[in-house]
Amino acid sequence: MREREAARVVLMDLRGRALLVRGHDTDQPERSWWFTVGGGIEPGEDARAAAVREVREETGIVLNLDALIGPIVSRTGIFDFFRETCRQHELIFAVWLDNDALAALDNSGWTEAERDVLDELAWWSGAELRAQGLEYFPAELPDLIDDLASGWDGRVRELGVARD
């Protein structure tokens, strides 16, 4: 099983919604799911730098390292993607965006591989995500969005290992 370290970010707007990415596996084009912005930590990179880089690449939003709150969540997801099983150890950060950052959404930084598997960016409240009956990861994502809508309580949530 392939192992990798990843950094993810819950990008929150002032209305209590999170910016999520919808993607799919090219081996299962009929199935898609929603998840937080982020991805693998490159060699020599720490989690915070990876989080900032991934936000810029996937959304066009440029952040300073000190904009990141947390990590707010630690988890391990085990999933199948591109005919490979992967165990991904994730640190998840949070950022609250102002209106200037919201206007800057841009997916032109998506790599060719990302363009093959990423479908769209959209804003979701926890309630909206639950009500649509959509697939999303982690399973606790709607509750996490709801909790963050009023700010971070300073507690790092350890979600353990999940089969995504």
Side-chain angles (χ1 to χ4, degrees), residues 15-31:
R15 294 175 50 195
R17 300 174 305 166
L19 182 63
L20 301 179
V21 181
R22 185 174 63 85
H24 69 279
D25 188 336
T26 55
D27 293 337
Q28 299 177 336
E30 71 286 351
R31 176 182 168 228

Side-chain angles (χ1 to χ4, degrees), residues 85-160:
T85 301
C86 183
R87 182 187 334 254
Q88 180 165 276
H89 307 284
E90 300 175 345
L91 290 178
I92 303 176
F93 300 89
V95 172
W96 280 262
L97 299 172
D98 62 23
N99 289 333
D100 291 339
L102 298 178
L105 291 180
D106 176 11
N107 66 4
S108 63
W110 289 5
T111 65
E112 186 175 327
E114 287 171 329
R115 289 188 187 287
D116 287 342
V117 297
L118 301 181
D119 301 312
E120 65 179 309
L121 297 166
W123 293 96
W124 291 92
S125 70
E128 291 167 336
L129 202 53
R130 271 187 222 93
Q132 295 298 318
L134 303 167
E135 191 172 358
Y136 48 79
F137 299 103
E140 300 83 356
L141 186 56
D143 294 334
L144 181 60
I145 294 168
D146 289 345
D147 290 348
L148 292 173
S150 58
W152 183 48
D153 61 10
R155 182 174 57 95
V156 178
R157 289 157 178 80
E158 303 285 344
L159 300 183

Side-chain angles (χ1 to χ4, degrees), residues 4-114:
R4 82 176 202 164
E5 303 291 320
R8 308 202 73 76
V9 182
V10 181
L11 295 161
M12 297 293 296
D13 72 7
L14 301 177
R15 294 175 50 195
R17 300 174 305 166
L19 182 63
L20 301 179
V21 181
R22 185 174 63 85
H24 69 279
D25 188 336
T26 55
D27 293 337
Q28 299 177 336
E30 71 286 351
R31 176 182 168 228
S32 67
W33 55 91
W34 291 92
F35 51 95
T36 58
V37 172
I41 298 172
E42 295 179 354
E45 190 176 44
D46 68 19
R48 297 177 78 76
V52 167
R53 176 184 51 76
E54 288 286 342
V55 167
R56 184 185 68 251
E57 290 174 359
E58 293 182 5
T59 71
I61 296 170
V62 178
L63 299 173
N64 293 321
L65 287 174
D66 35 336
L68 296 173
I69 306 296
I72 61 166
V73 172
S74 172
R75 75 180 291 266
T76 297
I78 299 172
F79 56 90
D80 297 317
F81 194 70
F82 280 133
R83 297 186 184 137
E84 180 178 34
T85 301
C86 183
R87 182 187 334 254
Q88 180 165 276
H89 307 284
E90 300 175 345
L91 290 178
I92 303 176
F93 300 89
V95 172
W96 280 262
L97 299 172
D98 62 23
N99 289 333
D100 291 339
L102 298 178
L105 291 180
D106 176 11
N107 66 4
S108 63
W110 289 5
T111 65
E112 186 175 327
E114 287 171 329

